[in-house]
Amino acid sequence: MSKVPTAGNILTIRDLSIEYTTDRGVLKAMRNVNLDIPKGSIVGVVGESGCGKSTLISSIIGLLASNASVSNGSIEFEKQDLLKLSQDDMRIIRGARLSIVFQDPMSTLNPVLSIGRQMTDIQYRDKKTTSEKRQRSIDMLTSVGIPDPESRLNQYPHEFSGGMQQRISIAMALQAEPSLLIADEPTTALDATLEVQIIHLLKELQSKMNCSILFISHHLGVIAELCDYVVVMYAGEVVEQGTTKDVFKNPTHPYTAKLLECDPASIAKKTRSLPTIPGEIPDLVSLPPGCVYKNRCDKAMEVCDSKTPSWTEFKGGHFVRCHLVEEV
Amino acid sequence: MSTVLEIENLRVRFRIQSSLMAMLNKNKDPYIDAVRQVSFKIEEGQTFTLVGESGSGKSTLAYAVAGLLPVADGSIMFNGDDVTKMNHKDLMDYRKQVSMMWQNPVGSLSPRMSVGGLITEAYKIHGLKDRDRKMEASRLLEMVGLPKHFSERYPHQLSGGQARRVGVARALALSPKLIIADEPTAGLDVSIQGEILNLLNKLQDDLGVSMFVITHNLNVVRHISDRTAIMYLGRFAEQGSTDDIFANPRHPYTLALLSANPEPDPEVIIKDRIELKGEVPSLMNRPSGCEFHTRCPFAAKDCDTVFPPIETVGEAHHLTCHYPRELKGLGSSDGVFHDEYADQIN
């Protein structure tokens, strides 16, 4: 168990393990995951595809696939364990206290309904008149920087550019002033200049509304610029967590160090041979004993083959799951 | 070094209204220009990279070059033949020499065909009956670093990185002279992205194939390409050698793109980032004068009325701007936008 105080957290995940039942057997998609999102902070999650980022998000918003089961752990959000809530209670929270911006704005928005219709529809909880709801939509569009919002409400998603569509999805996610916003690679579909705009927008709205953001991305530059804390995931485990400065400046898990090395942006000299992490993620159906990263780790020791490293606090608030740290 | 592909003044248009609607609306020009006034060359064994926002016409240009879209104006010269004037038979021949790696790696593989069938389908399409497709499949898989038994697999059994490799193998099947790669690393993690780029670089060194790469990841561009063009609203805002573009960007849009590139270092705070205001204008009503003036932080007199001609500055470095920046060393070859040059901009 982590020793981090949970009082100031908006979301606290402890020892969360999730399994999928597949034809090949039980796939352990997430194992003993600990995650803390302090109030009013932006937490970034990085990791390769298949590391359990999507499972993590689905477990928080309660939209796990039907073949998934939670074998252990808790997700505490505003003093409630989300895993113990009924479907109906979860529906009250989802979209209101807890909301999400997905990767692809074009598939988030319904192509056959106008933006205005969609934005008023999602305010179904509020007992307001339609014109009040419409006014609220106009205010939201203004705050995400869409010019001439009143007339744009009558337009359809395809009439907006990709960057604008993503702004609209952000406006819709923040409409109910949630206390936690999950952003699942919101800038992947956008180019560099729009990416910066969206990051600044998120940061600005976050400080204005004082919500917390869980930001998923595999763009390390974006994480470094936007986030207060970083969580590094590998093969269904959180291997390192700490402040952005600690993790980027002093990466302690060998995987984090490699990941930072591999980013072409951090390679100053032009090269035709970029660094990679050789090997592959282990099969999560038949996990070998010991550390999950050992087969790709250049610092692997004997103990890594037999014993799973524990979640250790390396330095105030900087947690690592690695035998190298435990030994010290 | 010889030129593989030479494109001159290319224009690609799409009809946006049927002829009847256009007649009723008295619209004399019911078209939009997705690509306009584009000229460039790809030299043998070199990589040409195209950078731009989504909707700027990058993919349209790639499709036109591959002969998959009709061209309204201009020429695409390949080995002395104009692709735009080719008949079906010649085009089939052309497509043996120019192959495509599609943007969506899994979506571009038919889910009902095995990997072996997919990567050797080109032999069937082009009637090359003398090839042993099974042998060829293992040869191609080996080239892209996948085990032989993968030829029995189906696309849903592949990871994103493996699907990319299959895409590369399929593009290599007919030993093309030019490979067009549309966003070859989109959606991949840094480590797998590195693997794919290393693979493309290695194949280029071994086979001498030329490449036309489309991307919006500037960090990638710097490491793989020889020449770079920056596209905005279907035109090239700037083009030149990659080193030159990164070390000495002249067009304000290039500057904005380079300075927008976030650094993977939380302590670097890019204070004087050139942030572009507003949105990309619609192709349906292009701005007057310089088409970038609506978002340009340096827009001045004449920018909104006079269209800037394509100018040549330095060696094969072209741009369209009335007031190009004179900022030596601004971006520097490491691609980092340094604060000390910010004064020069303001």
PDB file of all heavy atoms in Angstrom, chain A residues 138-157:
ATOM      1  N   ILE A 138     -23.878  28.488 -25.299  1.00  0.00           N
ATOM      2  CA  ILE A 138     -23.185  29.617 -25.921  1.00  0.00           C
ATOM      3  C   ILE A 138     -22.015  30.051 -25.040  1.00  0.00           C
ATOM      4  O   ILE A 138     -20.899  30.263 -25.510  1.00  0.00           O
ATOM      5  CB  ILE A 138     -24.157  30.797 -26.158  1.00  0.00           C
ATOM      6  CG1 ILE A 138     -25.192  30.406 -27.215  1.00  0.00           C
ATOM      7  CG2 ILE A 138     -23.408  32.053 -26.583  1.00  0.00           C
ATOM      8  CD1 ILE A 138     -26.317  31.391 -27.390  1.00  0.00           C
ATOM      9  N   ASP A 139     -22.267  30.121 -23.709  1.00  0.00           N
ATOM     10  CA  ASP A 139     -21.199  30.518 -22.792  1.00  0.00           C
ATOM     11  C   ASP A 139     -20.023  29.550 -22.857  1.00  0.00           C
ATOM     12  O   ASP A 139     -18.863  29.957 -22.844  1.00  0.00           O
ATOM     13  CB  ASP A 139     -21.721  30.575 -21.350  1.00  0.00           C
ATOM     14  CG  ASP A 139     -22.758  31.672 -21.175  1.00  0.00           C
ATOM     15  OD1 ASP A 139     -22.831  32.546 -22.067  1.00  0.00           O
ATOM     16  OD2 ASP A 139     -23.500  31.640 -20.171  1.00  0.00           O
ATOM     17  N   MET A 140     -20.345  28.255 -22.908  1.00  0.00           N
ATOM     18  CA  MET A 140     -19.284  27.253 -22.946  1.00  0.00           C
ATOM     19  C   MET A 140     -18.459  27.374 -24.229  1.00  0.00           C
ATOM     20  O   MET A 140     -17.246  27.309 -24.195  1.00  0.00           O
ATOM     21  CB  MET A 140     -19.856  25.829 -22.850  1.00  0.00           C
ATOM     22  CG  MET A 140     -20.260  25.382 -21.466  1.00  0.00           C
ATOM     23  SD  MET A 140     -19.045  25.713 -20.187  1.00  0.00           S
ATOM     24  CE  MET A 140     -17.709  24.631 -20.678  1.00  0.00           C
ATOM     25  N   LEU A 141     -19.164  27.544 -25.354  1.00  0.00           N
ATOM     26  CA  LEU A 141     -18.446  27.673 -26.629  1.00  0.00           C
ATOM     27  C   LEU A 141     -17.561  28.917 -26.621  1.00  0.00           C
ATOM     28  O   LEU A 141     -16.452  28.910 -27.138  1.00  0.00           O
ATOM     29  CB  LEU A 141     -19.424  27.733 -27.808  1.00  0.00           C
ATOM     30  CG  LEU A 141     -20.124  26.426 -28.186  1.00  0.00           C
ATOM     31  CD1 LEU A 141     -20.956  26.629 -29.438  1.00  0.00           C
ATOM     32  CD2 LEU A 141     -19.128  25.306 -28.408  1.00  0.00           C
ATOM     33  N   THR A 142     -18.057  29.999 -25.994  1.00  0.00           N
ATOM     34  CA  THR A 142     -17.239  31.204 -25.900  1.00  0.00           C
ATOM     35  C   THR A 142     -15.981  30.914 -25.087  1.00  0.00           C
ATOM     36  O   THR A 142     -14.884  31.326 -25.460  1.00  0.00           O
ATOM     37  CB  THR A 142     -18.031  32.343 -25.209  1.00  0.00           C
ATOM     38  OG1 THR A 142     -19.327  32.374 -25.786  1.00  0.00           O
ATOM     39  CG2 THR A 142     -17.347  33.670 -25.387  1.00  0.00           C
ATOM     40  N   SER A 143     -16.146  30.166 -23.979  1.00  0.00           N
ATOM     41  CA  SER A 143     -14.989  29.949 -23.112  1.00  0.00           C
ATOM     42  C   SER A 143     -13.950  29.036 -23.751  1.00  0.00           C
ATOM     43  O   SER A 143     -12.786  29.075 -23.374  1.00  0.00           O
ATOM     44  CB  SER A 143     -15.424  29.409 -21.748  1.00  0.00           C
ATOM     45  OG  SER A 143     -15.914  28.103 -21.898  1.00  0.00           O
ATOM     46  N   VAL A 144     -14.344  28.210 -24.737  1.00  0.00           N
ATOM     47  CA  VAL A 144     -13.321  27.415 -25.420  1.00  0.00           C
ATOM     48  C   VAL A 144     -12.838  28.111 -26.692  1.00  0.00           C
ATOM     49  O   VAL A 144     -12.098  27.535 -27.474  1.00  0.00           O
ATOM     50  CB  VAL A 144     -13.786  25.971 -25.756  1.00  0.00           C
ATOM     51  CG1 VAL A 144     -14.024  25.187 -24.495  1.00  0.00           C
ATOM     52  CG2 VAL A 144     -14.992  25.963 -26.660  1.00  0.00           C
ATOM     53  N   GLY A 145     -13.289  29.360 -26.879  1.00  0.00           N
ATOM     54  CA  GLY A 145     -12.725  30.158 -27.960  1.00  0.00           C
ATOM     55  C   GLY A 145     -13.298  29.878 -29.330  1.00  0.00           C
ATOM     56  O   GLY A 145     -12.586  29.930 -30.322  1.00  0.00           O
ATOM     57  N   ILE A 146     -14.599  29.584 -29.400  1.00  0.00           N
ATOM     58  CA  ILE A 146     -15.229  29.433 -30.714  1.00  0.00           C
ATOM     59  C   ILE A 146     -15.893  30.760 -31.066  1.00  0.00           C
ATOM     60  O   ILE A 146     -16.756  31.228 -30.342  1.00  0.00           O
ATOM     61  CB  ILE A 146     -16.257  28.285 -30.689  1.00  0.00           C
ATOM     62  CG1 ILE A 146     -15.514  27.012 -30.356  1.00  0.00           C
ATOM     63  CG2 ILE A 146     -17.063  28.225 -31.978  1.00  0.00           C
ATOM     64  CD1 ILE A 146     -15.782  25.836 -31.168  1.00  0.00           C
ATOM     65  N   PRO A 147     -15.449  31.386 -32.139  1.00  0.00           N
ATOM     66  CA  PRO A 147     -16.025  32.682 -32.471  1.00  0.00           C
ATOM     67  C   PRO A 147     -17.475  32.546 -32.956  1.00  0.00           C
ATOM     68  O   PRO A 147     -17.836  31.521 -33.529  1.00  0.00           O
ATOM     69  CB  PRO A 147     -15.109  33.197 -33.581  1.00  0.00           C
ATOM     70  CG  PRO A 147     -14.413  32.006 -34.127  1.00  0.00           C
ATOM     71  CD  PRO A 147     -14.424  30.941 -33.088  1.00  0.00           C
ATOM     72  N   ASP A 148     -18.257  33.573 -32.676  1.00  0.00           N
ATOM     73  CA  ASP A 148     -19.630  33.635 -33.144  1.00  0.00           C
ATOM     74  C   ASP A 148     -20.450  32.405 -32.717  1.00  0.00           C
ATOM     75  O   ASP A 148     -21.079  31.745 -33.544  1.00  0.00           O
ATOM     76  CB  ASP A 148     -19.608  33.749 -34.680  1.00  0.00           C
ATOM     77  CG  ASP A 148     -20.946  34.198 -35.230  1.00  0.00           C
ATOM     78  OD1 ASP A 148     -21.773  34.663 -34.423  1.00  0.00           O
ATOM     79  OD2 ASP A 148     -21.144  34.066 -36.445  1.00  0.00           O
ATOM     80  N   PRO A 149     -20.450  32.073 -31.402  1.00  0.00           N
ATOM     81  CA  PRO A 149     -21.042  30.809 -30.957  1.00  0.00           C
ATOM     82  C   PRO A 149     -22.538  30.692 -31.234  1.00  0.00           C
ATOM     83  O   PRO A 149     -23.032  29.593 -31.481  1.00  0.00           O
ATOM     84  CB  PRO A 149     -20.765  30.786 -29.448  1.00  0.00           C
ATOM     85  CG  PRO A 149     -20.500  32.184 -29.084  1.00  0.00           C
ATOM     86  CD  PRO A 149     -19.912  32.839 -30.281  1.00  0.00           C
ATOM     87  N   GLU A 150     -23.240  31.821 -31.220  1.00  0.00           N
ATOM     88  CA  GLU A 150     -24.686  31.746 -31.326  1.00  0.00           C
ATOM     89  C   GLU A 150     -25.122  31.140 -32.661  1.00  0.00           C
ATOM     90  O   GLU A 150     -25.984  30.270 -32.720  1.00  0.00           O
ATOM     91  CB  GLU A 150     -25.287  33.135 -31.154  1.00  0.00           C
ATOM     92  CG  GLU A 150     -26.673  33.058 -30.584  1.00  0.00           C
ATOM     93  CD  GLU A 150     -27.136  34.379 -30.021  1.00  0.00           C
ATOM     94  OE1 GLU A 150     -26.269  35.223 -29.695  1.00  0.00           O
ATOM     95  OE2 GLU A 150     -28.352  34.553 -29.920  1.00  0.00           O
ATOM     96  N   SER A 151     -24.475  31.590 -33.746  1.00  0.00           N
ATOM     97  CA  SER A 151     -24.879  31.048 -35.038  1.00  0.00           C
ATOM     98  C   SER A 151     -24.243  29.681 -35.279  1.00  0.00           C
ATOM     99  O   SER A 151     -24.786  28.848 -35.997  1.00  0.00           O
ATOM    100  CB  SER A 151     -24.506  32.022 -36.145  1.00  0.00           C
ATOM    101  OG  SER A 151     -23.116  32.197 -36.175  1.00  0.00           O
ATOM    102  N   ARG A 152     -23.101  29.441 -34.650  1.00  0.00           N
ATOM    103  CA  ARG A 152     -22.431  28.159 -34.874  1.00  0.00           C
ATOM    104  C   ARG A 152     -23.172  27.008 -34.202  1.00  0.00           C
ATOM    105  O   ARG A 152     -22.979  25.852 -34.562  1.00  0.00           O
ATOM    106  CB  ARG A 152     -20.991  28.223 -34.380  1.00  0.00           C
ATOM    107  CG  ARG A 152     -20.202  29.311 -35.097  1.00  0.00           C
ATOM    108  CD  ARG A 152     -18.858  28.867 -35.551  1.00  0.00           C
ATOM    109  NE  ARG A 152     -18.897  27.997 -36.689  1.00  0.00           N
ATOM    110  CZ  ARG A 152     -17.844  27.718 -37.444  1.00  0.00           C
ATOM    111  NH1 ARG A 152     -16.700  28.248 -37.187  1.00  0.00           N
ATOM    112  NH2 ARG A 152     -17.929  26.897 -38.450  1.00  0.00           N
ATOM    113  N   LEU A 153     -24.032  27.336 -33.224  1.00  0.00           N
ATOM    114  CA  LEU A 153     -24.814  26.289 -32.565  1.00  0.00           C
ATOM    115  C   LEU A 153     -25.707  25.546 -33.553  1.00  0.00           C
ATOM    116  O   LEU A 153     -26.050  24.391 -33.356  1.00  0.00           O
ATOM    117  CB  LEU A 153     -25.697  26.893 -31.465  1.00  0.00           C
ATOM    118  CG  LEU A 153     -25.087  27.092 -30.085  1.00  0.00           C
ATOM    119  CD1 LEU A 153     -26.140  27.611 -29.147  1.00  0.00           C
ATOM    120  CD2 LEU A 153     -24.484  25.817 -29.548  1.00  0.00           C
ATOM    121  N   ASN A 154     -26.098  26.227 -34.622  1.00  0.00           N
ATOM    122  CA  ASN A 154     -26.991  25.588 -35.588  1.00  0.00           C
ATOM    123  C   ASN A 154     -26.245  24.752 -36.615  1.00  0.00           C
ATOM    124  O   ASN A 154     -26.848  24.160 -37.489  1.00  0.00           O
ATOM    125  CB  ASN A 154     -27.805  26.652 -36.326  1.00  0.00           C
ATOM    126  CG  ASN A 154     -28.627  27.470 -35.356  1.00  0.00           C
ATOM    127  OD1 ASN A 154     -29.134  26.930 -34.374  1.00  0.00           O
ATOM    128  ND2 ASN A 154     -28.726  28.759 -35.600  1.00  0.00           N
ATOM    129  N   GLN A 155     -24.913  24.723 -36.505  1.00  0.00           N
ATOM    130  CA  GLN A 155     -24.146  23.979 -37.496  1.00  0.00           C
ATOM    131  C   GLN A 155     -23.912  22.539 -37.046  1.00  0.00           C
ATOM    132  O   GLN A 155     -24.090  22.191 -35.881  1.00  0.00           O
ATOM    133  CB  GLN A 155     -22.812  24.680 -37.735  1.00  0.00           C
ATOM    134  CG  GLN A 155     -22.995  26.019 -38.428  1.00  0.00           C
ATOM    135  CD  GLN A 155     -21.668  26.612 -38.838  1.00  0.00           C
ATOM    136  OE1 GLN A 155     -20.692  26.531 -38.121  1.00  0.00           O
ATOM    137  NE2 GLN A 155     -21.645  27.223 -40.010  1.00  0.00           N
ATOM    138  N   TYR A 156     -23.509  21.737 -38.004  1.00  0.00           N
ATOM    139  CA  TYR A 156     -23.271  20.311 -37.752  1.00  0.00           C
ATOM    140  C   TYR A 156     -21.774  20.032 -37.618  1.00  0.00           C
ATOM    141  O   TYR A 156     -20.959  20.797 -38.149  1.00  0.00           O
ATOM    142  CB  TYR A 156     -23.885  19.491 -38.892  1.00  0.00           C
ATOM    143  CG  TYR A 156     -25.385  19.520 -38.830  1.00  0.00           C
ATOM    144  CD1 TYR A 156     -26.103  20.584 -39.365  1.00  0.00           C
ATOM    145  CD2 TYR A 156     -26.080  18.517 -38.164  1.00  0.00           C
ATOM    146  CE1 TYR A 156     -27.475  20.642 -39.259  1.00  0.00           C
ATOM    147  CE2 TYR A 156     -27.454  18.558 -38.058  1.00  0.00           C
ATOM    148  CZ  TYR A 156     -28.152  19.629 -38.604  1.00  0.00           C
ATOM    149  OH  TYR A 156     -29.499  19.680 -38.480  1.00  0.00           O
ATOM    150  N   PRO A 157     -21.412  18.924 -36.942  1.00  0.00           N
ATOM    151  CA  PRO A 157     -19.985  18.662 -36.701  1.00  0.00           C
ATOM    152  C   PRO A 157     -19.087  18.774 -37.924  1.00  0.00           C
ATOM    153  O   PRO A 157     -17.989  19.304 -37.830  1.00  0.00           O
ATOM    154  CB  PRO A 157     -19.988  17.236 -36.141  1.00  0.00           C
ATOM    155  CG  PRO A 157     -21.298  17.125 -35.451  1.00  0.00           C
ATOM    156  CD  PRO A 157     -22.258  17.949 -36.264  1.00  0.00           C
TER     157      PRO A 157
END
